[in-house]
Amino acid sequence: AGAVLFALAIYGLVWRPKEDSSAEARRAKAERGRLIFLAFFVAGLLFGASAPGLIDLVTRLPVFALALNYRLVFLAGLGLAGLAAFGTERICRQESWRGLALVSAVALAVLVATFFLSQGVLRERALPDSFVRTSFAWETAPVALLGASALLFARRRRGMLLTVLVLVVAQRGGEMFAVYPTLPTGTLAPALPQLAKLPAGGTWRIAAAGDAFRPNGAALYGLEDVRGYESLLLDRFADTFPLWSQPQAASFNRLDDLTRPFLSFLNVRFAIAPPAAAVPPGWREFSSGREMAIFENPKALPRAFAPRKIRFESDRAMILAGMAAASDLSETAWVSSARSGERVNGSAAIELSSAGPDLQLSVAAPGPVFIATSVPDWPGWTAKSGDRKIPLVRTDHAFVGFWLAAGSQTVRLRYRPVSFLYGLASFALGLAIAAALGFLARRRSG
């Protein structure tokens, strides 16, 4: 919300309520609140800096093992806002704000010093001088005005509170204005003739070698890139990364070898490369132009298929080792099971289509068949044929699979986690409780 929060946060952090009959209770309450938000602020800074001890410790926790934990830097902003709220409350409770003028001067001095110490970084990033000067003014001028207002409105509480509100809103609006200008869509995602040649409406995925065609850009063209990454990551899916990619810290999975068999299992039908790149062994050139070359993988498996054999295995290390040694993952599917052994699978004709975010399969099978997919098995996937629910099993260590009886049927795979419904219910309950408490408080005060 802008640098005004720094002055307000310091002002709130050093606040001690005046002595009166209720001072002790108010002091204890304020102390707890300040410590909580100070802890948020410090923890957020440490997470954002990827502090080794803290990051290593948190990564070992069950839920946080799935996350990119440096993104907990948001706690710094939360803590700063909370401390600034205490500073604003102090304004409400005191007659004079000379201390606010002093901390505003300190915050201003730190901002100015930081600006001049950062000149080398600003030059390296080739930021326009006009942008740097304007941003500096929007960061520092409101802080200076806050300090001046604290002296000007010596005993006018409403005037001081209104000034704080105006400065926070003005700084946020002024600082962000034109930082992210509105530009035509083509500026961010220009038309690429070679991409336009890709077949429309398919359920295939893409990839690219090295740093070509960054994964975040794929979404702008309506493409699904297997290299993409998210804040939360399924740990079993991460176990497969060495089979097809080179994971990078806090970034996408880099592909150094497009011939890895697991890419075919992942439904990677097309790969994008620089214009002069050589066609990888086993691939063929689909299109080539001035901006890029596109290769096609004839061995790419559909997102759902019937493997020729099924191997039942309980040891995850054995499953991963078997998958790593396989040259064709349509030959065998590893099903996580307490029993062990192998059996021949039935056959099936499968037609795939997208139904919004869901995957729809039209399956015709002469006998019972096991269907394997390359859909990561996050909790929340369901499969239905009409009104009949189909049990899901884990296949190939981290993916969704299921058994089907003989015959023709349509199966719809949907992702609807129960936790989302719990969240909505909790939100509604919280609103109802807040409304009830507010109503009771008004009746008591009336």
Side-chain angles (χ1 to χ4, degrees), residues 193-194 197 273-276 285 287-294:
Q194 303 307 315
K197 296 179 181 179
E285 185 177 284
S287 178
S288 182
R290 181 175 57 86
E291 70 276 2
M292 66 177 64
I294 299 179

Side-chain angles (χ1 to χ4, degrees), residues 203 205 261-268 299-310 323 328-335 345-352 359-365 369-375 395-396 399-404 413:
T203 56
R205 299 182 176 112
F262 206 78
L263 289 174
S264 296
F265 168 80
L266 289 176
N267 186 223
V268 177
K299 297 181 179 179
L301 296 176
R303 205 165 295 196
F305 61 95
R308 286 182 280 277
K309 292 187 297 185
I310 305 162
M323 292 165 62
D328 181 0
L329 283 110
S330 68
E331 180 68 27
T332 303
W334 284 261
V335 173
N345 191 26
S347 60
I350 304 173
E351 292 184 9
L352 294 172
L359 191 64
Q360 189 164 287
L361 294 74
S362 297
V363 183
V369 64
F370 178 76
I371 306 297
T373 78
S374 55
V375 175
T395 182
D396 296 316
F399 302 91
V400 170
F402 52 90
W403 294 91
L404 288 179
L413 278 173

Side-chain angles (χ1 to χ4, degrees), residues 21-234:
S21 58
S22 62
E24 194 62 35
R26 287 195 293 113
R27 183 181 295 110
K29 185 177 179 180
E31 198 67 35
R32 287 195 301 270
R34 287 198 300 269
L35 288 177
I36 289 172
F37 285 108
L38 180 61
F40 283 156
F41 178 69
V42 173
L45 293 181
L46 292 174
F47 279 118
S50 295
L54 182 62
I55 288 288
D56 295 340
L57 174 64
V58 172
T59 301
R60 289 184 172 87
L61 299 177
V63 176
F64 292 90
L66 302 176
L68 298 175
N69 292 309
Y70 72 92
R71 293 191 176 186
L72 289 171
V73 66
F74 83 88
L75 291 172
L78 175 62
L80 185 65
L83 292 173
F86 277 99
T88 307
E89 184 181 0
R90 183 179 179 185
I91 293 173
C92 294
R93 293 182 178 274
Q94 294 200 189
E95 297 290 332
S96 175
W97 304 289
R98 293 175 182 172
L100 179 58
L102 176 61
V103 297
S104 297
V106 172
L108 182 62
V110 173
L111 286 171
V112 172
T114 303
F115 173 73
F116 284 105
L117 291 173
S118 303
Q119 291 301 303
V121 176
L122 299 176
R123 282 193 296 269
E124 287 176 7
R125 297 188 176 183
L127 297 174
D129 290 340
S130 59
F131 170 76
V132 171
R133 287 194 299 269
T134 302
S135 299
F136 175 67
W138 276 112
E139 287 292 349
T140 54
V143 178
L145 289 173
L146 179 66
S149 299
L151 297 176
L152 179 64
F153 297 107
R155 294 185 179 276
R156 285 176 281 180
R157 186 175 303 165
R158 289 185 179 179
M160 188 64 208
L161 290 173
L162 181 61
T163 299
V164 169
L165 176 62
V166 170
L167 287 176
V168 169
V169 173
Q171 185 172 52
R172 179 61 175 170
E175 180 191 4
M176 295 303 295
F177 177 75
V179 173
Y180 299 108
T182 302
L183 299 172
T185 305
T187 305
L188 185 61
L192 297 174
Q194 303 307 315
L195 287 184
K197 296 179 181 179
L198 292 172
T203 56
W204 38 264
R205 299 182 176 112
I206 70 159
D211 291 327
F213 200 69
R214 305 283 282 197
N216 290 351
L220 300 175
Y221 295 92
L223 302 173
E224 187 175 344
D225 194 325
V226 293
R227 301 172 299 158
Y229 71 100
E230 299 169 337
S231 299
L232 293 177
L233 182 64
L234 184 65

